[in-house]
Protein backbone atom coordinates (compact mmCIF):
# COMPACT_ATOMS: atom_id res chain seq x y z
CA UNK A 1 0.00 0.00 0.00
CA UNK A 2 1.25 3.50 -0.88
CA UNK A 3 1.94 5.91 1.97
CA UNK A 4 3.20 9.48 2.12
CA UNK A 5 6.44 8.07 3.52
CA UNK A 6 7.12 5.35 0.96
CA UNK A 7 5.89 7.04 -2.23
CA UNK A 8 8.22 8.91 -4.59
CA UNK A 9 6.58 12.27 -5.28
CA UNK A 10 9.44 13.83 -7.24
CA UNK A 11 8.19 15.71 -10.28
CA UNK A 12 4.59 14.59 -9.62
CA UNK A 13 1.43 16.70 -9.43
CA UNK A 14 -0.47 15.61 -6.38
CA UNK A 15 -4.16 16.39 -5.86
CA UNK A 16 -5.03 16.32 -2.17
CA UNK A 17 -8.58 16.27 -0.78
CA UNK A 18 -8.31 18.23 2.44
CA UNK A 19 -10.95 19.38 4.91
CA UNK A 20 -10.73 23.17 4.89
CA UNK A 21 -14.34 23.51 5.98
CA UNK A 22 -13.45 26.13 8.60
CA UNK A 23 -15.78 28.63 10.30
CA UNK A 24 -15.56 32.22 8.95
CA UNK A 25 -16.97 35.36 10.61
CA UNK A 26 -18.79 38.27 8.87
CA UNK A 27 -15.47 39.70 7.70
CA UNK A 28 -14.52 36.31 6.23
CA UNK A 29 -11.85 35.80 8.88
CA UNK A 30 -11.13 32.27 10.06
CA UNK A 31 -12.37 31.82 13.63
CA UNK A 32 -10.99 28.31 14.15
CA UNK A 33 -8.06 27.10 12.05
CA UNK A 34 -7.80 23.60 13.57
CA UNK A 35 -8.60 21.86 10.28
CA UNK A 36 -6.08 23.88 8.29
CA UNK A 37 -3.36 23.18 10.86
CA UNK A 38 -4.21 19.49 10.75
CA UNK A 39 -3.53 19.30 7.00
CA UNK A 40 -0.12 21.03 7.07
CA UNK A 41 2.09 17.95 7.73
CA UNK A 42 0.65 16.12 4.71
CA UNK A 43 1.14 19.10 2.40
CA UNK A 44 4.68 19.79 3.61
CA UNK A 45 5.67 16.14 3.26
CA UNK A 46 4.65 16.09 -0.41
CA UNK A 47 6.48 19.38 -1.07
CA UNK A 48 9.64 18.20 0.72
CA UNK A 49 9.63 15.10 -1.44
CA UNK A 50 9.51 17.10 -4.67
CA UNK A 51 5.80 17.06 -5.45
CA UNK A 52 3.60 19.96 -6.51
CA UNK A 53 0.40 20.18 -4.48
CA UNK A 54 -3.12 20.85 -5.73
CA UNK A 55 -5.53 21.26 -2.82
CA UNK A 56 -9.28 20.73 -3.05
CA UNK A 57 -11.94 21.08 -0.35
CA UNK A 58 -15.51 22.07 0.34
CA UNK A 59 -16.52 25.00 2.55
CA UNK A 60 -20.01 25.23 4.00
CA UNK A 61 -23.11 24.18 2.14
CA UNK A 62 -23.57 26.37 -0.94
CA UNK A 63 -26.95 25.72 -2.58
CA UNK A 64 -26.81 27.29 -6.05
CA UNK A 65 -23.29 27.65 -7.34
CA UNK A 66 -20.66 30.19 -6.25
CA UNK A 67 -21.29 32.38 -3.19
CA UNK A 68 -18.80 34.86 -1.71
CA UNK A 69 -19.22 33.61 1.86
CA UNK A 70 -18.30 30.08 0.85
CA UNK A 71 -15.24 31.00 -1.22
CA UNK A 72 -11.99 29.27 -0.32
CA UNK A 73 -10.07 32.36 -1.43
CA UNK A 74 -10.64 33.66 2.13
CA UNK A 75 -8.15 31.15 3.47
CA UNK A 76 -5.33 31.69 0.92
CA UNK A 77 -3.45 34.22 3.08
CA UNK A 78 -3.56 32.10 6.23
CA UNK A 79 -2.60 28.97 4.33
CA UNK A 80 0.32 30.75 2.62
CA UNK A 81 1.64 31.89 6.00
CA UNK A 82 1.35 28.44 7.52
CA UNK A 83 3.10 26.76 4.58
CA UNK A 84 5.71 29.46 3.99
CA UNK A 85 4.89 29.64 0.27
CA UNK A 86 2.58 31.84 -1.83
CA UNK A 87 -0.43 29.63 -2.44
CA UNK A 88 -1.92 30.12 -5.91
CA UNK A 89 -5.69 30.11 -6.34
CA UNK A 90 -8.03 28.98 -9.11
CA UNK A 91 -11.49 30.61 -9.19
CA UNK A 92 -13.09 27.38 -10.27
CA UNK A 93 -12.00 23.86 -9.30
CA UNK A 94 -12.31 22.68 -12.90
CA UNK A 95 -11.98 24.43 -16.28
CA UNK A 96 -9.26 26.20 -18.19
CA UNK A 97 -7.77 28.42 -15.49
CA UNK A 98 -7.36 25.55 -13.00
CA UNK A 99 -5.95 23.39 -15.76
CA UNK A 100 -3.41 26.02 -16.83
CA UNK A 101 -2.17 26.82 -13.34
CA UNK A 102 -1.92 23.12 -12.49
CA UNK A 103 0.02 22.43 -15.69
CA UNK A 104 2.60 25.13 -14.85
CA UNK A 105 2.96 24.15 -11.19
CA UNK A 106 6.58 23.41 -10.21
CA UNK A 107 7.82 21.06 -7.47
CA UNK A 108 7.08 22.56 -4.05
CA UNK A 109 4.43 24.94 -5.36
CA UNK A 110 0.87 24.89 -4.10
CA UNK A 111 -2.45 25.56 -5.82
CA UNK A 112 -5.75 25.81 -3.97
CA UNK A 113 -8.90 25.15 -6.00
CA UNK A 114 -12.15 26.98 -5.37
CA UNK A 115 -14.91 25.26 -3.35
CA UNK A 116 -15.81 21.89 -4.84
CA UNK A 117 -19.43 22.25 -3.79
CA UNK A 118 -19.96 25.20 -6.13
CA UNK A 119 -20.61 22.30 -8.50
CA UNK A 120 -23.58 20.10 -7.52
CA UNK A 121 -21.76 17.20 -9.21
CA UNK A 122 -19.43 17.02 -6.21
CA UNK A 123 -21.96 15.75 -3.67
CA UNK A 124 -23.70 13.67 -6.34
CA UNK A 125 -20.48 11.74 -6.83
CA UNK A 126 -20.55 12.51 -10.55
CA UNK A 127 -17.95 10.50 -12.42
CA UNK A 128 -17.34 12.98 -15.27
CA UNK A 129 -16.70 15.74 -12.73
CA UNK A 130 -14.34 13.47 -10.75
CA UNK A 131 -12.50 12.72 -14.00
CA UNK A 132 -11.97 16.44 -14.66
CA UNK A 133 -10.47 16.89 -11.19
CA UNK A 134 -8.34 13.79 -11.69
CA UNK A 135 -7.06 15.24 -14.97
CA UNK A 136 -5.18 17.93 -13.04
CA UNK A 137 -2.79 15.50 -11.33
CA UNK A 138 -0.73 12.28 -11.35
CA UNK A 139 -1.41 11.21 -7.78
CA UNK A 140 -4.43 11.33 -5.42
CA UNK A 141 -4.19 11.76 -1.65
CA UNK A 142 -7.25 11.74 0.59
CA UNK A 143 -6.72 13.57 3.88
CA UNK A 144 -10.30 14.59 4.66
CA UNK A 145 -11.51 12.22 7.35
CA UNK A 146 -14.51 14.48 8.12
CA UNK A 147 -16.06 13.62 4.73
CA UNK A 148 -14.82 10.03 4.47
CA UNK A 149 -18.36 8.74 5.09
CA UNK A 150 -19.57 10.48 1.93
CA UNK A 151 -19.27 8.95 -1.55
CA UNK A 152 -18.61 12.32 -3.18
CA UNK A 153 -16.65 12.96 -6.38
CA UNK A 154 -13.55 14.26 -4.56
CA UNK A 155 -13.67 11.87 -1.58
CA UNK A 156 -14.28 8.52 -3.26
CA UNK A 157 -15.13 8.49 -6.99
CA UNK A 158 -11.91 10.26 -8.06
CA UNK A 159 -9.80 7.40 -6.64
CA UNK A 160 -10.83 5.24 -9.62
CA UNK A 161 -8.63 7.35 -11.87
CA UNK A 162 -5.52 6.62 -9.81
CA UNK A 163 -5.56 2.82 -9.42
CA UNK A 164 -1.87 2.66 -8.51
CA UNK A 165 -1.21 6.20 -7.31
CA UNK A 166 -3.54 6.86 -4.39
CA UNK A 167 -3.04 6.97 -0.66
CA UNK A 168 -4.18 8.41 2.67
CA UNK A 169 -2.75 11.61 4.10
CA UNK A 170 -1.55 11.80 7.71
CA UNK A 171 -4.88 12.99 9.14
CA UNK A 172 -6.67 9.98 7.65
CA UNK A 173 -3.85 7.64 8.60
CA UNK A 174 -3.92 8.77 12.24
CA UNK A 175 -7.69 8.54 12.51
CA UNK A 176 -7.66 5.03 11.06
CA UNK A 177 -4.79 3.91 13.29
CA UNK A 178 -6.55 5.20 16.41
CA UNK A 179 -9.89 3.64 15.63
CA UNK A 180 -8.13 0.39 14.77
CA UNK A 181 -6.34 0.44 18.11
CA UNK A 182 -9.69 0.73 19.81
CA UNK A 183 -11.98 -1.50 17.77
CA UNK A 184 -9.58 -4.20 16.57
CA UNK A 185 -6.28 -4.34 18.42
CA UNK A 186 -7.63 -3.24 21.78
CA UNK A 187 -5.96 -4.18 25.01
CA UNK A 188 -8.35 -5.43 27.67
CA UNK A 189 -10.21 -4.33 29.67
CA UNK A 190 -11.91 -2.30 26.94
CA UNK A 191 -14.51 0.19 28.14
CA UNK A 192 -16.90 2.19 25.98
CA UNK A 193 -18.58 5.23 27.49
CA UNK A 194 -21.70 6.34 25.66
CA UNK A 195 -23.85 9.34 26.42
CA UNK A 196 -25.78 12.02 24.61
CA UNK A 197 -29.43 12.67 24.18
CA UNK A 198 -31.03 9.71 22.52
CA UNK A 199 -30.81 5.95 22.18
CA UNK A 200 -32.05 6.29 18.59
CA UNK A 201 -28.81 7.93 17.47
CA UNK A 202 -26.63 5.37 19.23
CA UNK A 203 -28.31 1.99 18.91
CA UNK A 204 -26.12 0.82 16.03
CA UNK A 205 -23.05 1.85 17.99
CA UNK A 206 -24.26 -0.09 21.03
CA UNK A 207 -24.90 -3.19 18.95
CA UNK A 208 -21.55 -3.02 17.21
CA UNK A 209 -19.64 -2.46 20.45
CA UNK A 210 -21.33 -5.14 22.56
CA UNK A 211 -19.29 -8.00 21.14
CA UNK A 212 -16.04 -6.06 21.52
CA UNK A 213 -16.12 -4.40 24.94
CA UNK A 214 -15.72 -5.66 28.49
CA UNK A 215 -17.59 -2.70 29.97
CA UNK A 216 -20.30 -0.55 28.46
CA UNK A 217 -21.15 2.59 30.42
CA UNK A 218 -24.34 4.38 29.48
CA UNK A 219 -25.09 7.93 30.65
CA UNK A 220 -26.77 11.04 29.22
CA UNK A 221 -30.43 11.30 28.30
CA UNK A 222 -30.32 7.84 26.73
CA UNK A 223 -29.88 6.20 30.15
CA UNK A 224 -33.54 6.77 31.01
CA UNK A 225 -34.88 4.60 28.21
CA UNK A 226 -32.73 1.80 29.68
CA UNK A 227 -33.86 2.53 33.23
CA UNK A 228 -37.51 2.51 32.17
CA UNK A 229 -36.88 -0.76 30.31
CA UNK A 230 -35.67 -2.19 33.64
CA UNK A 231 -38.90 -1.07 35.34
CA UNK A 232 -37.69 2.19 36.92
CA UNK A 233 -39.67 5.41 37.43
CA UNK A 234 -38.02 8.18 35.43
CA UNK A 235 -40.48 11.06 35.94
CA UNK A 236 -40.25 13.60 33.12
CA UNK A 237 -36.79 12.48 31.95
CA UNK A 238 -36.09 12.04 28.27
CA UNK A 239 -37.45 8.62 27.25
CA UNK A 240 -37.97 7.09 23.84
CA UNK A 241 -40.97 4.84 24.44
CA UNK A 242 -40.61 3.18 21.05
CA UNK A 243 -37.08 2.07 21.93
CA UNK A 244 -37.81 0.40 25.25
CA UNK A 245 -37.93 -3.02 23.60
CA UNK A 246 -34.66 -2.22 21.80
CA UNK A 247 -33.09 -1.29 25.14
CA UNK A 248 -34.35 -4.57 26.66
CA UNK A 249 -32.78 -6.49 23.77
CA UNK A 250 -29.45 -4.69 24.30
CA UNK A 251 -29.55 -5.53 28.03
CA UNK A 252 -30.17 -9.20 27.17
CA UNK A 253 -27.41 -9.25 24.57
CA UNK A 254 -24.97 -7.73 27.08
CA UNK A 255 -25.84 -10.52 29.55
CA UNK A 256 -25.32 -13.21 26.93
CA UNK A 257 -21.98 -11.75 25.90
CA UNK A 258 -20.93 -11.25 29.53
CA UNK A 259 -20.42 -7.54 29.02
CA UNK A 260 -20.67 -5.47 32.20
CA UNK A 261 -23.41 -3.02 31.33
CA UNK A 262 -23.18 -0.01 33.65
CA UNK A 263 -26.40 1.99 33.89
CA UNK A 264 -26.34 4.91 36.38
CA UNK A 265 -27.70 4.09 39.85
CA UNK A 266 -28.37 7.73 40.74
CA UNK A 267 -29.10 10.99 38.99
CA UNK A 268 -29.21 14.75 39.50
CA UNK A 269 -32.89 15.50 38.93
CA UNK A 270 -34.28 18.96 38.16
CA UNK A 271 -37.78 20.44 38.40
CA UNK A 272 -37.38 22.10 35.02
CA UNK A 273 -34.99 22.06 32.04
CA UNK A 274 -32.98 25.06 33.21
CA UNK A 275 -29.61 25.71 34.81
CA UNK A 276 -31.37 27.46 37.70
CA UNK A 277 -33.85 24.65 38.29
CA UNK A 278 -34.38 23.19 41.76
CA UNK A 279 -32.35 19.98 42.02
CA UNK A 280 -32.22 16.79 44.06
CA UNK A 281 -30.09 13.68 43.95
CA UNK A 282 -32.12 10.49 43.81
CA UNK A 283 -32.07 6.89 42.59
CA UNK A 284 -32.12 6.94 38.80
CA UNK A 285 -35.10 4.56 38.83
CA UNK A 286 -36.99 6.47 41.50
CA UNK A 287 -37.39 9.99 40.13
CA UNK A 288 -40.39 11.86 41.60
CA UNK A 289 -43.26 12.79 39.27
CA UNK A 290 -42.60 16.07 37.47
CA UNK A 291 -38.80 15.86 37.88
CA UNK A 292 -36.27 15.00 35.18
CA UNK A 293 -32.76 13.55 35.35
CA UNK A 294 -30.23 15.90 33.78
CA UNK A 295 -26.94 14.41 34.96
CA UNK A 296 -25.54 11.24 36.49
CA UNK A 297 -25.31 11.31 40.30
CA UNK A 298 -22.27 11.09 42.65
CA UNK A 299 -22.54 7.32 43.22
CA UNK A 300 -22.56 6.69 39.44
CA UNK A 301 -19.62 9.06 38.96
CA UNK A 302 -17.66 7.02 41.49
CA UNK A 303 -18.55 3.62 40.00
CA UNK A 304 -17.93 4.73 36.42
CA UNK A 305 -14.65 6.47 37.29
CA UNK A 306 -13.37 3.28 38.97
CA UNK A 307 -14.21 1.19 35.91
CA UNK A 308 -12.55 3.74 33.61
CA UNK A 309 -9.43 4.07 35.75
CA UNK A 310 -8.97 0.28 35.55
CA UNK A 311 -9.34 0.10 31.76
CA UNK A 312 -6.60 -0.32 29.17
CA UNK A 313 -8.66 0.90 26.21
CA UNK A 314 -11.38 3.56 26.38
CA UNK A 315 -13.76 4.88 23.76
CA UNK A 316 -15.88 7.90 24.70
CA UNK A 317 -18.80 9.29 22.76
CA UNK A 318 -21.44 11.60 24.19
CA UNK A 319 -21.82 13.68 27.38
CA UNK A 320 -23.10 12.18 30.66
CA UNK A 321 -25.59 15.00 31.23
CA UNK A 322 -26.71 18.39 29.96
CA UNK A 323 -23.15 19.68 30.22
CA UNK A 324 -24.00 22.94 28.43
CA UNK A 325 -25.62 23.97 31.76
CA UNK A 326 -22.97 24.27 34.49
CA UNK A 327 -25.17 22.76 37.18
CA UNK A 328 -25.49 19.54 35.17
CA UNK A 329 -21.94 19.29 33.88
CA UNK A 330 -20.29 17.49 36.80
CA UNK A 331 -20.85 13.95 35.47
CA UNK A 332 -19.27 14.82 32.12
CA UNK A 333 -16.34 16.68 33.73
CA UNK A 334 -15.57 13.85 36.18
CA UNK A 335 -15.78 11.17 33.48
CA UNK A 336 -13.46 13.24 31.27
CA UNK A 337 -11.02 13.50 34.19
CA UNK A 338 -11.16 9.75 34.86
CA UNK A 339 -10.36 9.11 31.18
CA UNK A 340 -7.43 11.54 31.42
CA UNK A 341 -6.20 9.73 34.58
CA UNK A 342 -6.42 6.33 32.91
CA UNK A 343 -4.51 7.71 29.93
CA UNK A 344 -1.77 9.04 32.21
CA UNK A 345 -1.46 5.49 33.58
CA UNK A 346 -0.96 4.07 30.09
CA UNK A 347 -4.45 3.40 28.72
CA UNK A 348 -5.28 4.26 25.10
CA UNK A 349 -8.26 6.62 24.95
CA UNK A 350 -10.18 7.82 21.93
CA UNK A 351 -12.74 10.60 22.14
CA UNK A 352 -14.98 10.89 19.11
CA UNK A 353 -18.25 12.45 18.05
CA UNK A 354 -19.32 16.10 18.34
CA UNK A 355 -20.30 16.80 21.94
CA UNK A 356 -17.70 14.75 23.80
CA UNK A 357 -15.01 16.46 21.70
CA UNK A 358 -16.55 19.81 22.67
CA UNK A 359 -16.46 18.67 26.32
CA UNK A 360 -12.77 17.67 26.40
CA UNK A 361 -11.91 20.97 24.72
CA UNK A 362 -14.06 22.95 27.18
CA UNK A 363 -12.35 21.31 30.17
CA UNK A 364 -8.87 21.60 28.58
CA UNK A 365 -8.35 17.85 28.59
CA UNK A 366 -7.82 17.35 24.84
CA UNK A 367 -4.07 16.82 25.27
CA UNK A 368 -4.63 14.43 28.19
CA UNK A 369 -6.41 11.79 26.12
CA UNK A 370 -4.65 9.69 23.48
CA UNK A 371 -6.63 10.83 20.47
CA UNK A 372 -9.44 13.29 19.74
CA UNK A 373 -11.15 12.47 16.48
CA UNK A 374 -11.72 15.30 14.00
CA UNK A 375 -14.49 13.58 12.09
CA UNK A 376 -17.83 13.67 13.91
CA UNK A 377 -20.18 11.86 11.53
CA UNK A 378 -17.40 9.81 9.93
CA UNK A 379 -16.20 8.59 13.34
CA UNK A 380 -19.73 7.65 14.41
CA UNK A 381 -20.28 5.61 11.24
CA UNK A 382 -16.96 3.90 11.83
CA UNK A 383 -17.95 2.94 15.38
CA UNK A 384 -21.24 1.67 13.99
CA UNK A 385 -19.17 -0.80 12.01
CA UNK A 386 -19.87 0.72 8.60
CA UNK A 387 -17.38 0.84 5.74
CA UNK A 388 -16.56 4.44 4.84
CA UNK A 389 -16.56 5.11 1.07
CA UNK A 390 -13.54 7.42 1.34
CA UNK A 391 -11.55 4.71 3.09
CA UNK A 392 -12.70 1.87 0.84
CA UNK A 393 -11.81 3.89 -2.29
CA UNK A 394 -8.17 4.02 -1.23
CA UNK A 395 -7.94 0.48 0.12
CA UNK A 396 -9.60 -1.21 -2.89
P1 LIG B 1 -25.84 13.66 21.16
O1 LIG B 1 -25.76 14.70 20.08
O2 LIG B 1 -26.83 12.61 20.92
O3 LIG B 1 -24.47 13.13 21.54
O4 LIG B 1 -26.41 14.42 22.43
C1 LIG B 1 -25.76 15.47 23.06
C2 LIG B 1 -26.76 16.22 23.88
O5 LIG B 1 -27.33 15.37 24.84
C3 LIG B 1 -26.17 17.38 24.63
O6 LIG B 1 -26.64 18.57 24.07
C4 LIG B 1 -26.71 17.18 26.06
O7 LIG B 1 -27.20 18.36 26.62
C5 LIG B 1 -27.82 16.19 25.88
N1 LIG B 1 -28.09 15.43 27.10
C6 LIG B 1 -27.21 14.78 27.88
N2 LIG B 1 -27.82 14.27 28.96
C7 LIG B 1 -29.11 14.61 28.88
C8 LIG B 1 -30.24 14.38 29.73
N3 LIG B 1 -30.12 13.70 30.87
N4 LIG B 1 -31.43 14.88 29.34
C9 LIG B 1 -31.53 15.58 28.19
N5 LIG B 1 -30.50 15.83 27.35
C10 LIG B 1 -29.30 15.35 27.69
Amino acid sequence: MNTLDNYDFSGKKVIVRVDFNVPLNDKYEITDDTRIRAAIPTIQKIREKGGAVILMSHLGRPKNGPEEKFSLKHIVKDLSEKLGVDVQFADDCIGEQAHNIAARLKPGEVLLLENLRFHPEETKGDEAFAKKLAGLADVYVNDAFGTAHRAHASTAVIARFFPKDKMFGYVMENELKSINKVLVENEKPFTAVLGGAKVSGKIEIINNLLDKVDNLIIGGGMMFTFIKAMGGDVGNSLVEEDLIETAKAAIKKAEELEVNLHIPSDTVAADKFDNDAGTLICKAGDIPDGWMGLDIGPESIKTFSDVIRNSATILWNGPMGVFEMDNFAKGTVEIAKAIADATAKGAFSLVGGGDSVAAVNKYHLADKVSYVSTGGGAMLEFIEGKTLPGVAAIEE
Side-chain angles (χ1 to χ4, degrees), residues 195-198 201-202 219-224 237-238 267 273 292-296 317-325 332 353-356 380:
K198 291 181 171 177
K202 306 281 160 91
M222 60 194 275
M223 71 194 234
F224 298 105
S237 305
L238 192 63
T267 183
F273 191 81
M292 63 188 90
L294 295 185
D295 197 7
I296 58 174
N317 169 266
M320 294 291 100
V322 184
F323 77 110
E324 297 93 335
M325 300 182 195
T332 303
D355 275 321
S356 27
L380 290 185

Side-chain angles (χ1 to χ4, degrees), residues 276-295:
D276 299 322
T279 60
L280 62 88
I281 289 162
C282 60
K283 292 275 160 226
D286 203 4
I287 300 178
D289 284 348
W291 291 67
M292 63 188 90
L294 295 185
D295 197 7

Side-chain angles (χ1 to χ4, degrees), residues 148-377:
H149 57 317
R150 307 280 183 224
H152 293 171
S154 69
T155 61
V157 181
I158 189 174
R160 273 175 221 165
F161 302 101
F162 302 93
K164 292 203 174 65
D165 303 281
K166 55 183 180 177
M167 70 202 77
F168 296 122
Y170 288 131
V171 174
M172 284 284 269
E173 223 179 79
N174 289 336
E175 292 274 352
L176 297 175
K177 263 188 211 154
S178 309
I179 194 78
N180 199 48
K181 251 177 129 159
V182 168
L183 292 185
V184 185
E185 292 162 1
N186 49 56
E187 271 182 49
K188 305 275 178 183
F190 173 19
T191 300
V193 184
L194 297 181
K198 291 181 171 177
V199 181
S200 45
K202 306 281 160 91
I203 195 66
E204 289 177 61
I205 296 182
I206 294 174
N207 281 331
N208 187 42
L209 288 177
L210 273 175
D211 57 9
K212 299 182 176 63
V213 297
D214 303 293
N215 303 294
L216 179 59
I217 292 174
I218 290 188
M222 60 194 275
M223 71 194 234
F224 298 105
T225 300
F226 280 86
I227 290 167
K228 190 150 187 196
M230 297 186 302
D233 292 322
V234 298
N236 278 354
S237 305
L238 192 63
V239 168
E240 288 166 284
E241 295 287 344
D242 53 336
L243 285 177
I244 289 183
E245 288 309 314
T246 306
K248 281 185 187 163
I251 294 169
K252 188 155 168 271
K253 187 172 169 192
E255 267 168 25
E256 285 164 9
L257 293 167
E258 295 180 12
V259 170
N260 302 311
L261 184 61
H262 297 275
I263 310 282
S265 57
D266 59 347
T267 183
V268 181
D271 56 8
K272 58 181 173 187
F273 191 81
D274 192 304
N275 191 44
D276 299 322
T279 60
L280 62 88
I281 289 162
C282 60
K283 292 275 160 226
D286 203 4
I287 300 178
D289 284 348
W291 291 67
M292 63 188 90
L294 295 185
D295 197 7
I296 58 174
E299 194 177 88
S300 308
I301 290 177
K302 169 134 200 351
T303 316
F304 293 180
S305 299
D306 286 346
V307 172
I308 290 167
R309 287 199 175 90
N310 289 310
S311 300
T313 306
I314 302 152
L315 171 65
W316 182 28
N317 169 266
M320 294 291 100
V322 184
F323 77 110
E324 297 93 335
M325 300 182 195
D326 286 343
N327 289 335
F328 306 103
K330 190 159 198 272
T332 303
V333 178
E334 295 302 322
I335 291 312
K337 283 188 190 158
I339 296 174
D341 287 348
T343 312
K345 282 193 342 196
F348 185 83
S349 55
L350 169 62
V351 181
D355 275 321
S356 27
V357 174
V360 287
N361 286 331
K362 185 168 171 187
Y363 311 129
H364 307 290
L365 292 168
D367 57 355
K368 297 200 165 54
V369 298
S370 310
Y371 196 79
V372 180
S373 173
T374 55

